Amino acid sequence: LHPVHRLFSCPGTVAADVKKEEQSSGIAETGSEDRTPKKRFSEVQKERREQAQRTVLIHCPNKISEKKFLKYLSQHGSINNHFFYESFGLYAVVEFCQKESVASLQNGTRTPSMGTEAAIPFRSRCFNLKLKNPSNQTSEQPCVSRSNQSPPSSKKLFELLCDAESIDDQLNTLLKEFQLTEENTKLRYFTCSLIEDIAAAYFPDCAVRPFGSSVNGFGKLGCDLDMFLDLDDIGKVKEHKTLGNFLVEFQVKNVPSERIATQKILSVIGECLDHFGPGCVGVQKILNARCPLVRFSHQASGFQCDLTTNNRIALKSSELLYIYGALDSRVRALVFSIRCWARAHSLTSSIPGAWITNFSLTMMVIFFLQRRSPPILPTLDYLKSLADAEDKCIIEGHNCTFVCDLNRIKPSGNTETLELLLKEFFEYFGNFAFNKNSINIRQGKEQNKPETSPLHIQNPFETSLNISKNVSQSQLQKFVDLARESAWILHQEGNDHPSPSNSQLWGLATLLLPSVAKNMSQAKRKRKKPASERVKNLLESIKSSSTENPTNTSGT
Ligand code: CTP
Ligand code: MG
């Protein structure tokens, strides 16, 4: 039996530790040998949503005795799990075993009297904990350990990358450092369930579900929190047992279109968040977008949130990415590195615009892995062919059917290393005929572009849509140029053999420095100096640029 691979049953846990075990036991590092049953996306979502509903968030004094704190809260019921984290103060996330404990805590909690200000008495699951006698409780408290919710600094990342043993090791290290932790994932589901409480004041049977990179396995610490208000269950009749000749319907307000209904609902929920959502600040209603949304910051968790409604197709595409990420351990390592590379070179941005998005980059990696020989990832059509009756899924007329049980998908026999795949990714897209071909993960084949956008990546379910319609020709060209330069750098490194042990930047670390690509391209143009001198100058320039102008790799 192979080492237990915890990665997929628990999205926050780490592949790299397991990788070390695999290496030491001499197992090829494809991840394809892994036989541990993996949970379905819907099971993970259901479990985490239920956990989140019996969880509370408590703002604590900085000095607190963990033992006394837990003892105090256990008056309301047993605690299943808890952790502390820092975000403008100390917070505790406490998950009770029973949902009733939350109500018990709420019943014993008062609304603060505010002096000159007034409080809106909304009883959420966020609390402030005060010490009754601060003077005799704060002295000599050991510091509680805090779970980290942020990505590593550039300095720390470069150190870790330079200490790695191989380029494969570097990619796995980057994944380990940037992927969402177990705690961060919990906090994301919890934040959605707080928003659900507010929306449920109007729509008692609604659900607020996270989607996108928070749940698809490709989220980096610090990424935004996409969530949608799911009202689907409200329309459904639970049990249709009533006899007789009559049918009863609710009287409802009719509006001219689905879009207007969405705008009205989001508008009201936006107002509620703004007016009585504790810690919901900077609420913006962006209702005229193609997909109307409410954007806000959730202060206590530190998440930038995007709330949409009826976005079931996006949830299905999150599920598809979750499956692709879980099928082979190389997928996430490669996607994370490409995302960090793109961010470091300002190919992606947190501001919407003509740039490539992380979602598009992920699709490009998946497509590339479908094109390997033998393929590392199956096509979407193949996943559809494995589907059984219960997997059938049609949303708004779009066929979103694919196999949901990951354990029924045969692992790939491809054993290529991450180093090779990284190099080949840059070469493949450095030479891709973007002017005539489209990227399509459904068929896993290059196809003629149906329209003239510079970059065409077919939406896997709404196949007439291009997910990268926003990308301009110049942004695409920048991507192509950087891909070529990065392929060249990796190729040169292979030839020049910089020693990993000399603590200089090498491998992936070199690729993540924007100045390096520039210097490399200049060096390439000049090509006058001997190779050894070029490398020496390059390393000098890296040293100065990394101290003067550290790269921001921590953005989304
Ligand atoms: N989405 C889509 N079509 C697009 C953009 C987004 O279907 N043109 C869906 C995808 O399911 C995507 C989700 O909306 O995962 C969220 O979009 P976004 O936040 O832009 O991407 P993420 O995958 O969440 O990546 P990031 O970490 O950059 O937020
Ligand atoms: Mg997102």
Side-chain angles (χ1 to χ4, degrees):
L1 274 179
H2 298 302
V4 174
H5 212 312
R6 294 156 300 161
L7 177 61
F8 308 120
S9 55
C10 196
T13 47
V14 169
D17 296 344
V18 180
K19 187 110 322 208
K20 286 211 175 95
E21 287 174 53
E22 282 174 356
Q23 279 167 346
S24 61
S25 59
I27 300 163
E29 49 174 26
T30 62
S32 51
E33 297 80 7
D34 179 24
R35 292 282 186 275
T36 314
K38 294 160 190 166
K39 278 188 193 162
R40 285 169 186 236
F41 182 74
S42 56
E43 287 171 330
V44 177
Q45 287 253 321
K46 194 167 163 233
E47 252 174 49
R48 292 217 178 259
R49 189 172 125 80
E50 196 268 318
Q51 277 173 1
Q53 287 170 340
R54 42 185 166 81
T55 298
V56 297
L57 181 69
I58 305 180
H59 188 196
C60 302
N62 267 332
K63 294 215 163 165
I64 187 169
S65 151
E66 188 166 356
K67 213 170 131 197
K68 284 185 192 158
F69 171 73
L70 293 176
K71 191 168 165 223
Y72 178 76
L73 286 176
S74 341
Q75 296 175 74
H76 302 284
S78 322
I79 294 167
N80 198 34
N81 189 292
H82 78 282
F83 64 89
F84 291 91
Y85 72 93
E86 192 87 46
S87 163
F88 301 106
L90 179 66
Y91 285 86
V93 174
V94 179
E95 181 194 313
F96 287 104
C97 296
Q98 306 286 331
K99 210 174 163 182
E100 292 69 41
S101 305
V102 175
S104 161
L105 174 61
Q106 280 173 324
N107 288 338
T109 300
R110 59 176 194 156
T111 309
S113 45
M114 304 293 288
T116 52
E117 294 177 338
I120 293 175
F122 179 71
R123 295 159 66 91
S124 77
R125 281 181 285 137
C126 300
F127 304 89
N128 281 322
L129 183 83
K130 304 230 160 116
L131 299 176
K132 278 194 184 146
N133 289 313
S135 51
N136 60 13
Q137 289 194 40
T138 52
S139 56
E140 292 166 32
Q141 288 302 344
C143 253
V144 293
S145 72
R146 286 142 161 91
S147 140
N148 178 33
Q149 308 298 322
S150 327
S153 67
S154 305
K155 186 169 171 283
K156 164 108 188 291
L157 177 68
F158 281 114
E159 279 167 14
L160 288 166
L161 292 183
C162 291
D163 285 348
E165 281 163 17
S166 61
I167 292 187
D168 281 52
D169 196 16
Q170 286 186 320
L171 270 82
N172 283 318
T173 300
L174 186 134
L175 170 65
K176 182 174 167 239
E177 291 298 313
F178 277 97
Q179 71 182 344
L180 303 184
T181 58
E182 171 65 14
E183 289 81 11
N184 194 268
T185 303
K186 279 191 161 90
L187 198 51
R188 284 171 189 269
Y189 278 86
F190 172 70
T191 305
C192 289
S193 95
L194 288 179
I195 306 308
E196 184 176 300
D197 287 352
I198 292 175
Y202 286 93
F203 304 106
D205 290 323
C206 75
V208 171
R209 305 185 193 281
F211 70 99
S213 59
S214 298
V215 299
N216 65 18
F218 296 103
K220 279 181 6 186
L221 282 172
C223 70
D224 68 355
L225 172 54
D226 304 292
M227 49 175 101
F228 82 99
L229 175 65
D230 188 353
L231 301 172
D232 268 15
D233 286 344
I234 294 179
K236 288 190 192 131
V237 179
K238 288 204 176 107
E239 282 291 312
H240 212 92
K241 277 189 185 152
T242 46
L243 298 169
N245 297 326
F246 298 101
L247 180 73
V248 193
E249 279 184 346
F250 284 105
Q251 282 197 358
V252 287
K253 197 125 196 164
N254 286 326
V255 291
S257 68
E258 191 70 38
R259 180 174 170 85
I260 294 174
T262 298
Q263 287 170 332
K264 285 193 183 292
I265 293 166
L266 281 179
S267 174
V268 167
I269 306 294
E271 291 292 312
C272 294
L273 294 176
D274 200 14
H275 292 309
F276 53 82
C280 297
V281 297
V283 179
Q284 282 173 275
K285 296 196 264 177
I286 309 171
L287 303 178
N288 287 323
R290 189 184 74 81
C291 185
L293 75 144
V294 174
R295 177 165 288 170
F296 61 96
S297 300
H298 187 255
Q299 269 183 322
S301 62
F303 295 134
Q304 176 71 34
C305 305
D306 278 352
L307 173 70
T308 51
T309 181
N310 287 345
N311 219 344
R312 288 209 150 246
I313 297 188
L315 186 65
K316 211 57 196 169
S317 78
S318 305
E319 176 170 6
L320 179 66
L321 294 194
Y322 167 87
I323 290 181
Y324 277 129
L327 279 179
D328 187 293
S329 66
R330 289 167 293 185
V331 181
R332 294 171 70 241
L334 197 58
V335 169
F336 272 70
S337 297
I338 299 293
R339 283 183 167 205
C340 281
W341 166 83
R343 186 71 180 105
H345 294 280
S346 307
L347 283 169
T348 51
S349 165
S350 51
I351 311 159
W355 8 95
I356 293 183
T357 61
N358 282 327
F359 183 53
S360 297
L361 286 170
T362 308
M363 289 294 181
M364 290 168 98
V365 176
I366 292 172
F367 183 74
F368 163 74
L369 295 174
Q370 291 174 333
R371 304 294 298 153
R372 302 307 295 161
S373 177
I376 293 180
L377 288 177
T379 64
L380 176 52
D381 274 342
Y382 176 72
L383 296 181
K384 188 176 163 199
S385 74
L386 295 181
D388 57 24
E390 68 162 333
D391 294 328
K392 192 169 176 211
C393 174
I394 314 275
I395 305 171
E396 293 157 23
H398 301 284
N399 193 335
C400 306
T401 305
F402 55 82
V403 61
C404 296
D405 180 359
L406 295 96
N407 303 300
R408 291 182 30 216
I409 309 166
K410 206 168 152 262
S412 163
N414 180 310
T415 57
E416 287 168 322
T417 62
L418 281 169
E419 176 176 356
L420 180 79
L421 292 171
L422 185 65
K423 207 186 292 178
E424 298 268 313
F425 173 88
F426 290 131
E427 262 175 42
Y428 183 76
F429 284 112
N431 296 304
F432 191 87
F434 287 108
N435 56 342
K436 72 175 210 294
N437 286 337
S438 150
I439 290 162
N440 171 327
I441 65 160
R442 185 164 274 283
Q443 275 136 24
K445 278 203 299 253
E446 294 164 19
Q447 288 195 318
N448 284 337
K449 273 206 295 198
E451 41 124 328
T452 54
S453 308
L455 176 60
H456 193 278
I457 305 176
Q458 191 191 60
N459 184 307
F461 301 119
E462 293 169 275
T463 50
S464 64
L465 296 182
N466 171 10
I467 66 160
S468 51
K469 207 176 167 61
N470 62 313
V471 177
S472 66
Q473 183 59 45
S474 64
Q475 284 300 316
L476 177 65
Q477 195 54 50
K478 191 172 158 190
F479 170 84
V480 169
D481 291 345
L482 281 161
R484 286 183 185 169
E485 287 192 346
S486 299
W488 190 81
I489 291 168
L490 285 175
H491 187 73
Q492 280 302 108
E493 281 213 350
N495 292 343
D496 292 348
H497 292 298
S499 158
S501 59
N502 69 3
S503 79
Q504 296 284 14
L505 293 183
W506 63 279
L508 183 59
T510 321
L511 298 186
L512 295 182
L513 275 186
S515 55
V516 174
K518 260 185 257 136
N519 288 332
M520 267 293 184
S521 69
Q522 278 160 10
K524 188 169 69 176
R525 270 177 230 123
K526 288 179 194 158
R527 288 262 177 104
K528 281 178 190 151
K529 295 172 183 160
S532 56
E533 200 174 324
R534 283 208 314 272
V535 172
K536 193 173 137 244
N537 290 345
L538 179 68
L539 291 172
E540 290 291 312
S541 78
I542 293 164
K543 242 164 72 188
S544 55
S545 69
S546 64
T547 46
E548 284 161 18
N549 183 22
T551 313
N552 175 17
T553 50
S554 61
T556 51

